[in-house]
Amino acid sequence: MNLDELNSEQRAAVLAPDGPILILAGAGSGKTRALTYRIAHILAERKASPFEMLAVTFTNKAANEMRERVATLVGDDSRLPWVSTFHSACARILRQECHALGYDRNFSILDESDSQTTIRRVLEDAALAESPPLELARARIEQAKNEAISPEEMLASAPPGRETSTARIYQLYQERMRTMNAMDFSDLQLQTWILFQRFPEILEKWQRRAAHLLVDEYQDTNRVQYLIVKALAARSGNLCVVGDEDQSIYRWRGADIRNILDFERDYPAAQIFKLEQNYRSTKTILAAAGGVIRNNTERKIKNLWTENGAGEPVTYYTGVTERDEADFIALEIARLTGSGGFRPADVVVFYRVNAQSRAIEEALVRRRIPYYVVGGVRFYEQRDVKDLLAYLRVLANPADAVSLERMVGTPPRGIGAKSFEAITELADRQHITAFEAMGRLETYAKVALRIAKQAGMLYSWMHDLAARIPELSVRGIVEEVVAHSGFEAYLGTLEDATFRKQNLAEMLSAASAFDAEKSGGGLPEFLERVALVSDTEQIDSSGGRAALMTLHTSKGLEYPIVFMAGMEEGLFPHSRSADIDEEIEEERRLCYVGMTRARQLLYLTNTLSREIYGVRQESRQSRFMREIDSSLIRRIAPERHTAPVRPLSPREAYVDYGDSQLPDDEPGPGGDAFSIGAKVVHPTFGRGIVRRREGRGDGAKAWVNFDRGGIKLLVLKFANLRLIAD
């Protein structure tokens, strides 16, 4: 381990004595390097063994990167500490300790859709007078768990009416989850916190296991994570957190920026280090992003700087519509990946909401630019993959009624919704799991004998396979499920059978890869890994494709070229912000994070008119654009041939307004036929009406609302417009 590879601030943070430490790490300042070197230094100095260290972060990608870097520095795989995501760390703790809370160690982890299904059934069964809508109930339950609020606490403080009903639904949902021996994502953390509160001896055991606790991305921790971290660090006091309040962008899912802002209040003896040298971006990109973020008040002052060159100006393009914006993005990507020397994989296009991707995707398809969308349907959330996983979940946890219902219906075997109702009724009467009830269905008069026999045969086979799980690999289990369930033959009957069978092959590959790992574990561990897959794991920089994703997926990434589309008021910052200071500051942080993903080139784009969610409206320039020093920006006005793309034809002409607002009405010269309200026809866009005018003489332009082309801004000299009679 060569400490000479660190700058002075990184080195100071790495060598700091034990105790609470806050490393304020600006964007691109080498925080992972500082964190991994500190881990390696603690091990090298024998301050702790690998079995007394825990490093937590938020994504599997970040955890894997941290683990690999530590392995390189330490040079001995046997001396690696525990490096994990928050959710995985909590799952590991609960696998060992959940019996204290009344759970079996093979509990299921429900994904979002299965959790929603369970809440829906609770709502239907409870039939409360003032039941909340499903989405509201799910959101409030998740919020409560993120804030470490139990159902009992929520019920005790809820006012009469819908809030009380919601608290009651939360309570019933948790009871049903316990019956199913299941937890959702938020439960992993809440139940860990409850475990630590109720059982001090268990907490002390894990405090020893985390005698040196290091937390990455501390600015993104929510209340329950904050409490878990504080509890684990209370015994040793050796807590090192790394973060940047300027990059806190998950307030909507419970992240509390006060956790990092108030670190010195929580730990008065804390040592503070600031990493301010940026290794990623050009001086220009850094200055532009700094101009935006310095308008926030909820932040600690940092002065990021870089030894990198000035680089190119930030390119700012305004199109008339979202199609123009998308065409510009596609043309620029084509140019940069053609003669520009870049690869498609060097490019990312960020947008604020998923609905923006449609126009961009269409433009990329037209230009034959390979791309992929991050945050679409994940592999493990595809229908047939979830159907197969349902078998595995029931094998690992027979009490998982949600997975059981999915399993008995795929492939179709006559056990429909009414039959499954009978199974659950029998289970309730005999106080057994639904899986066991399936094996006793022939004794239940409400079900036809043919269906009962089908259920009994399925139960017998699954029961036998479950008994043999300890002697089988995960791939062996998957192969046996596929062979005996009729699943593969069923896939062959579907219209997209080839694609579905490819998914099946990929599942087998995933199981093989898991089996090949030295510490892979068994079926419960495989299912845990599947459940905790995140959007960022879909990112593939080696695949030769440009990436499209929302800005909230951008954390932890960097690209040579970044496009940020939709820099408009109401879109970014989002209309939900509604000038609420805290929300606007969150949106500004999101803008800053997006901008600082760029290494070499940064493009910011917007439109004068945008159709989104089926409504077209005029657009106004985002306030964030006005916060960037104009000397750092290169504006694009294609009709003046200043754009670094091919010259556009007159009928493609765009205009570049400094404030991106529709111009004021301006009459043309006397006698000009194309006055406001004139009806015209265009050879490409068809019939239209002149709505606004700008300029005079050869520079005269008109806004025309076409029947089939929408709003277009045309240079009249070249527009080839023709007046038509009323």
Side-chain angles (χ1 to χ4, degrees), residues 172-186:
L172 293 171
Y173 171 64
Q174 291 302 101
E175 290 172 2
R176 183 160 302 194
M177 294 279 279
R178 187 179 296 276
T179 300
M180 291 167 47
N181 192 37
M183 298 186 195
D184 59 28
F185 293 151
S186 300

Side-chain angles (χ1 to χ4, degrees), residues 47-202:
K47 293 184 177 181
S49 78
F51 306 104
E52 296 174 313
M53 298 185 72
L54 168 59
V56 291
T57 186
F58 278 84
T59 67
N60 291 322
K61 177 176 178 288
N64 291 335
E65 180 185 357
M66 197 183 303
R67 197 177 296 113
E68 289 168 6
R69 290 201 192 186
V70 172
T72 301
L73 292 171
V74 173
D76 182 358
D77 285 353
S78 65
R79 297 188 62 227
L80 287 183
W82 181 15
V83 181
S84 177
T85 64
F86 265 104
H87 286 91
S88 293
C90 289
R92 178 171 169 178
I93 292 168
L94 289 169
R95 292 284 179 210
Q96 296 188 40
E97 312 291 356
C98 63
H99 59 275
L101 296 173
Y103 287 87
D104 180 88
R105 72 175 305 276
N106 289 335
F107 60 83
S108 297
I109 301 174
L110 300 190
D111 63 21
E112 188 174 316
S113 64
D114 288 339
S115 170
Q116 187 159 309
T117 297
T118 306
I119 294 173
R120 180 186 295 111
R121 295 209 174 118
V122 169
L123 283 165
E124 291 169 354
D125 293 347
L128 300 178
E130 297 187 64
S131 287
L134 173 62
E135 279 299 322
L136 177 61
R138 188 184 66 81
R140 288 287 292 116
I141 290 171
E142 183 176 7
Q143 180 186 13
K145 291 182 179 183
N146 287 339
E147 294 175 0
I149 298 172
S150 69
E152 294 72 27
E153 290 170 328
M154 186 176 176
L155 196 59
S157 62
R162 178 173 284 182
E163 280 297 305
T164 295
S165 295
T166 302
R168 178 60 179 150
I169 294 299
Y170 179 17
Q171 190 174 48
L172 293 171
Y173 171 64
Q174 291 302 101
E175 290 172 2
R176 183 160 302 194
M177 294 279 279
R178 187 179 296 276
T179 300
M180 291 167 47
N181 192 37
M183 298 186 195
D184 59 28
F185 293 151
S186 300
D187 264 325
L188 295 176
Q189 296 172 144
L190 177 63
Q191 297 301 331
T192 300
W193 168 238
I194 291 172
L195 186 76
F196 288 167
Q197 276 188 304
R198 293 182 184 173
F199 304 98
E201 68 281 5
I202 292 177

